[in-house]
Amino acid sequence: MIDWNVAVQAGTRLVRPGPQVSHEEARAVVAELRELSRDAHGHVRDFTGMASELDPAPATVVDRPGWIRANVDGFRVVLEPLMEQMTERRGPGPLGGAGNVVVQAVGSRVTGMQVGAILAYMASRVLGQYELFLPPDPSGQAPTGRLTLVAPNIVHVEQELGVHTRDFRLWVCLHEETHRAQFTGVRWLREYVQDQMTQFLLASDLDPGVMLDRIRDAAEAVADAMRGGDANLIDAIQTPEQRKILDRLTAVMTLVEGHGDYVMDAVGPEVVPSVEQIRSRFQGRRDGGSKLDKTIRRLLGIDLKMKQYAEGSRFVRRVVAEAGMAGFNQVWQSPESLPTHDEIKEPAEWMNRVIGPRAIDVAPPEASEA
């Protein structure tokens, strides 16, 4: 289905080079990012009250090709169930055994180049991520997830925005360390997300006729995006069953992304003194870009991710304001306590369902005495 080696080769060949820095400057950036990821871990743990790892490894700092290789490894893990299903269903091709192998080989190389081109675009934009899906470690010693920071992108953005470098780097680390706290402190969360993604993939309709219709829909989505419409590839290629699963996935990812955005801003000016300036300039960058860049973002669903940041952050801010951090943390009790897509937009509905109206409306004793 996908030639992963071709994806890596195409991605690393097409990706744009990062900002020009000396070897000494590059080493200093890497060292500071690792140090700040450790600092951010303590701030996130204290602020959120989440029982995350006590002494995690510092962030893994990569360049753009390194980010591409890491994500290809993750894609292979995520797509394994679908690959197995396709192998089981595969029958003899119309050209016979040998001919079918040739068709598959050519198709997988084309798909690999397409994946590589998308990764090349993304590799110049992503500042960091918590990698949930890593190849299994034969020794069983490696952690199940990894916090990764893309050094050239962080340097590029801080130069573009003209912000305080240490503040900006710590600000980014706070967001990504919040994701590490979520997926290490909430034991069931990683398995839940992986299960939803697996269900989403296995709900794919592998009938050739249906897949041809999906390709046509994808082509129409590209044309609509080029005209300035709201179509994206995710909506174009999914089945009705996948839409239901995607609603659950979107809700949980909106929560974790919004929580990360909330924490990175709310930890306090004592930690990141220039946080207001950074947020203002960074938001302006998110909203900007050329017409082509905006089209690609719509097509790949990146604008949807930006919307998730905003909606999720509003949800967290509202719940913390009305129910406190302990009240908000009830969101991590179980999959059933996660907000639905509608509850993200109406936090009061989630608070009434999970926390209960009495817990929200009644002020704590110490607040009443004051």
Side-chain angles (χ1 to χ4, degrees):
M1 184 177 178
I2 301 173
D3 188 321
W4 297 112
N5 290 329
V6 169
V8 171
Q9 292 166 6
T12 54
R13 185 175 66 252
L14 293 172
V15 70
R16 292 179 296 177
Q20 295 298 310
V21 297
S22 68
H23 291 301
E24 291 75 15
E25 290 173 318
R27 282 195 294 268
V29 170
V30 170
E32 184 171 51
L33 286 173
R34 287 174 175 161
E35 174 195 346
L36 290 176
S37 73
R38 285 190 178 278
D39 291 346
H41 169 75
H43 294 310
V44 169
R45 186 180 173 89
D46 293 343
F47 180 77
T48 64
M50 300 182 74
S52 57
E53 297 173 287
L54 283 173
D55 187 27
T60 299
V61 183
V62 299
D63 57 10
R64 291 171 177 176
W67 182 87
I68 290 172
R69 286 189 286 269
N71 276 266
V72 165
D73 288 342
F75 283 165
R76 297 179 76 159
V77 173
V78 171
L79 291 174
E80 185 177 355
L82 180 61
M83 300 302 185
E84 291 175 354
Q85 185 184 74
M86 293 188 71
T87 300
E88 292 172 2
R89 293 191 184 185
R90 184 180 295 155
L95 301 178
N100 198 31
V101 169
V102 172
V103 171
Q104 290 168 9
V106 172
S108 67
R109 288 181 62 82
V110 171
T111 310
M113 286 187 283
Q114 293 169 337
V115 170
I118 292 172
L119 288 174
Y121 174 80
M122 296 298 298
S124 63
R125 300 183 60 86
V126 174
L127 301 182
Q129 67 187 65
Y130 184 71
E131 297 176 61
L132 281 179
F133 307 109
L134 301 175
D137 175 29
S139 70
Q141 301 300 311
T144 54
R146 179 174 61 207
L147 191 151
T148 301
L149 299 171
V150 189
N153 295 350
I154 293 173
V155 171
H156 171 75
V157 173
E158 67 193 24
Q159 291 177 349
E160 185 180 77
L161 299 182
V163 292
H164 187 281
T165 58
R166 189 182 188 281
D167 280 7
F168 182 75
R169 294 170 190 180
L170 178 55
W171 189 69
V172 172
C173 288
L174 287 168
H175 184 101
E176 303 309 332
E177 283 290 347
T178 302
H179 290 328
R180 171 144 60 181
Q182 293 160 349
F183 287 102
T184 61
V186 184
R187 299 300 178 186
W188 53 265
L189 186 58
R190 180 183 185 277
E191 184 178 350
Y192 174 81
V193 171
Q194 185 170 23
D195 179 63
Q196 294 299 311
M197 293 184 72
T198 299
Q199 288 185 42
F200 181 84
L201 291 169
L202 295 183
S204 303
D205 196 326
L206 301 180
D207 177 80
V210 175
M211 292 184 75
L212 184 59
D213 289 339
R214 300 277 178 244
I215 292 172
R216 293 193 185 107
D217 291 342
E220 290 176 5
V222 172
D224 181 72
M226 294 299 291
R227 292 191 297 266
D230 295 327
N232 64 69
L233 291 176
I234 297 175
D235 290 340
I237 64 175
Q238 62 187 301
T239 67
E241 177 61 26
Q242 285 177 315
R243 288 190 179 92
K244 299 176 184 176
I245 301 168
L246 189 62
D247 278 348
R248 296 194 293 270
L249 262 175
T250 300
V252 70
M253 296 315 294
T254 299
L255 172 69
V256 300
E257 293 292 4
H259 187 221
D261 248 26
Y262 170 79
V263 171
M264 72 193 301
D265 287 347
V267 161
E270 299 84 7
V271 175
V272 184
S274 59
V275 62
E276 290 188 11
Q277 181 195 67
I278 291 173
R279 168 56 70 187
S280 174
R281 295 184 182 182
F282 190 76
Q283 190 61 48
R285 181 179 183 272
R286 277 182 176 176
D287 297 336
S290 66
K291 183 177 180 180
L292 176 61
D293 189 56
K294 290 178 179 178
T295 299
I296 295 173
R297 281 173 8 206
R298 277 198 306 272
L299 196 57
L300 297 180
I302 297 173
D303 282 354
L304 175 62
K305 189 176 180 68
M306 298 302 102
K307 186 179 179 181
Q308 288 176 3
Y309 284 129
E311 286 187 348
S313 183
R314 280 195 298 270
F315 172 85
V316 178
R317 199 161 50 243
R318 169 86 177 273
V319 175
V320 172
E322 297 191 21
M325 187 62 74
F328 167 77
N329 280 341
Q330 292 187 49
V331 79
W332 311 118
Q333 287 180 340
S334 70
E336 289 70 34
S337 63
L338 290 171
T340 64
H341 200 63
D342 289 338
E343 288 172 339
I344 292 247
K345 296 178 179 178
E346 296 293 341
E349 295 181 5
W350 177 84
M351 287 188 278
N352 285 327
R353 178 175 68 86
V354 176
I355 303 176
R358 178 175 173 78
I360 303 167
D361 297 337
V362 178
E366 55 269 31
S368 299
E369 292 169 6

